[in-house]
Amino acid sequence: MAKSSLNLATEPQTSVANLFPFLDLPLQFEGIRYEVMEAVTRTLRNQHFILGPEVEKLEAEIAAYVGCRFAVACASGSDALLLALMALGVGAGDEVITTPFTFVATAGSIARLGAKPVFADIDPDTYNLDPKKLEGVISDKTRAILPVHLYGLPAMMDPIFEVARAHGIAVIEDAAQALGAEYSGIKVGNIGTIGCFSFFPSKNLGGAGDGGMLTTNDPSLAERLRLLRVHGCRRKYRSEILGINSRLDALQAAILRVKLDYLEIWTGQRRHNAERYCLLFQDFGLDEQVICPAEPAGMRHVYNQFVIHVSARDELQQHLRHLGIPTEIYYPEPLHLQPAFAYLGYEVGNLPQAESASNHVLALPIYPELTRDQQMAVVCAIAQFYEGNPASFEQEG
Ligand SMILES: *Cc1c(COP(=O)(O)O)cnc(C)c1O
């Protein structure tokens, strides 16, 4: 390949149409269209739109899939986090420890209740909360630890639990990206006090809009969550406790029930694609430049995102954009440095692993229907970048 074609500095900054999408939901829909339309029609005929039998069936099916006793549906993953904290009575004056390297909802839910998010740094190999960083930030105000199973990889739950147990505090799992992921053979959402899931369309089980689910083995917590999502009303117009309106639509439940039947197949395809990326990177001699996601022993990664660690990340992304290869960055800025959390007083350098990760991570397309040729195009384009920039890796070490 001519080297001049690799020199981005001299090329015009034109935008190129993507060769294929980052996530192909229309393609997924074509494969299940008949079943989805049947479920939608059934719900429309029924005209029972909020909670009701479809939602109850989905709750039972998710509980069975996760292996826990109770599942309580709500309006979004963000609300699931909020409701979980509300159910535990977290509020003003309390502290909850979480990761700064996550979607804003994780820490936002804590702050929304008037409690204080306390960030602990991440483990650079897994991007998940580093259990060794927990003791240092625990105080007598700490009420819970809120680990995230980022990208679909379970957090280090055993060491997190050790700390939680020693201090008598709860563990809430942000499993929004990780339905189906396993830790020591146990599905996430069935490990902590409460598990929180999202059915946002880009999650591994995505609805036709917003949706969320809570899981627990504690009957009184399940009961409390059911009350909290309907303004605390067990019977009409009588509020027992102060809640919110966060209910799942029957249409969403009906569609999600269709898709849940495919989740294991889709997860298998995501895992297959992940393995193939790693083999291709090896074949292309890119093991030095491209660090593939870790899957520690005993864990099952479900690859909601396939995130590589690279140097010269922004230049690589620009190069790929030029060649029509779609990528994303999750997340470009850790939460402790975002304006919404400035009041907490964190500064650059406080959580160096999260800050470093935000400069080096790059998510590649990993959706189940992704083909070998498409993956080959991604890997070739990355190889081309490093051929043209042999020094870029060494520069940053
Ligand atoms: C998607 C997501 C959420 C929020 O879910 P919504 O359904 O979009 O509100 C929370 N935490 C993490 C880690 C997520 O990825």
Side-chain angles (χ1 to χ4, degrees):
M1 217 157 293
K3 198 153 190 191
S4 62
S5 72
L6 304 175
N7 191 342
L8 293 175
T10 61
E11 279 179 31
Q13 299 294 304
T14 49
S15 69
V16 170
N18 283 341
L19 298 175
F20 46 88
F22 184 75
L23 171 65
D24 202 341
L25 288 175
L27 182 61
Q28 182 194 63
F29 176 64
E30 279 314 310
I32 55 173
R33 186 157 62 101
Y34 178 81
E35 287 171 273
V36 170
M37 294 315 292
E38 195 279 323
V40 168
T41 305
R42 180 179 75 226
T43 310
L44 289 176
R45 285 217 174 97
N46 190 283
Q47 292 284 305
H48 194 142
F49 288 126
I50 295 170
L51 297 177
E54 284 294 340
V55 172
E56 282 164 28
K57 283 178 191 156
L58 177 70
E59 288 175 338
E61 287 161 8
I62 292 284
Y65 178 74
V66 168
C68 65
R69 286 182 70 191
F70 307 101
V72 180
C74 64
S76 69
S78 301
D79 275 4
L81 292 162
L82 195 69
L83 287 163
L85 292 164
M86 288 172 77
L88 294 173
V90 171
D94 295 333
E95 294 178 1
V96 177
I97 300 171
T98 192
T99 164
F101 196 54
T102 177
F103 180 59
V104 63
T106 314
S109 62
I110 302 164
R112 260 281 141 253
L113 292 172
K116 183 180 171 188
V118 174
F119 296 114
D121 210 354
I122 57 165
D123 164 47
D125 297 328
T126 61
Y127 311 112
N128 278 327
L129 207 50
D130 183 347
K132 295 191 295 295
K133 302 285 161 61
L134 295 174
E135 282 291 354
V137 292
I138 285 209
S139 79
D140 54 7
K141 294 179 185 151
T142 309
R143 294 289 313 280
I145 303 171
L146 178 34
V148 178
H149 307 304
L150 198 69
Y151 308 142
L153 177 72
M156 297 291 278
M157 296 306 282
D158 280 341
I160 289 172
F161 261 102
E162 253 172 58
V163 177
R165 246 180 250 122
H167 295 269
I169 55 181
V171 176
I172 299 173
E173 296 175 69
D174 182 342
Q177 301 180 4
L179 183 60
E182 290 173 18
Y183 182 89
S184 301
I186 303 173
K187 288 233 162 56
V188 300
N190 192 22
I191 309 170
T193 317
I194 303 176
C196 304
F197 293 95
S198 164
F199 301 127
F200 184 79
S202 70
K203 305 293 159 101
N204 284 16
L205 180 62
D210 279 313
M213 188 73 76
L214 295 128
T215 50
T216 184
N217 287 304
D218 182 328
S220 62
L221 274 179
E223 178 65 15
R224 205 170 166 78
L225 290 168
R226 285 183 201 287
L227 270 183
L228 285 168
R229 73 175 169 179
V230 290
H231 287 301
C233 298
R234 206 179 313 258
R235 72 176 147 93
K236 261 188 185 175
Y237 312 126
R238 184 150 191 281
S239 260
E240 296 174 29
I241 52 174
L242 202 55
I244 57 174
N245 169 13
S246 183
R247 306 169 300 203
L248 187 68
D249 288 343
L251 273 169
Q252 295 303 339
I255 293 169
L256 289 164
R257 289 183 63 211
V258 170
K259 296 182 75 171
L260 180 58
D261 281 344
Y262 292 88
L263 183 62
E264 275 302 301
I265 296 170
W266 291 336
T267 298
Q269 289 169 324
R270 284 176 182 272
R271 289 177 53 77
H272 177 77
N273 293 343
E275 196 182 336
R276 190 152 61 189
Y277 266 134
C278 298
L279 291 173
L280 285 172
F281 285 129
Q282 271 172 31
D283 288 351
F284 277 73
L286 289 168
D287 332 39
E288 288 275 291
Q289 291 92 335
V290 176
I291 301 171
C292 275
E295 188 183 45
M299 294 200 195
R300 184 198 196 213
H301 198 321
V302 294
Y303 297 102
N304 179 238
Q305 302 298 345
F306 181 89
V307 174
I308 58 172
H309 185 285
V310 292
S311 55
R313 191 266 320 271
D314 292 343
E315 291 83 351
L316 172 61
Q317 187 181 38
Q318 196 192 358
H319 169 85
L320 295 174
R321 192 179 294 132
H322 256 71
L323 296 174
I325 305 289
T327 61
E328 297 285 346
I329 295 169
Y330 306 110
Y331 294 89
E333 194 180 27
L335 296 186
H336 67 285
L337 300 179
Q338 297 205 12
F341 296 105
Y343 72 98
L344 294 170
Y346 288 91
E347 289 169 12
V348 174
N350 286 163
L351 300 158
Q353 297 299 350
E355 292 165 29
S356 170
S358 68
N359 289 320
H360 293 281
V361 291
L362 188 66
L364 307 179
I366 189 69
Y367 56 88
E369 301 82 2
L370 192 70
T371 66
R372 185 181 198 283
D373 286 351
Q374 289 168 336
Q375 289 193 273
M376 189 63 116
V378 174
V379 175
C380 283
I382 293 173
Q384 193 192 37
F385 175 78
Y386 286 108
E387 274 165 34
N389 303 270
S392 62
F393 185 69
E394 290 146 40
Q395 270 170 20
E396 284 187 58

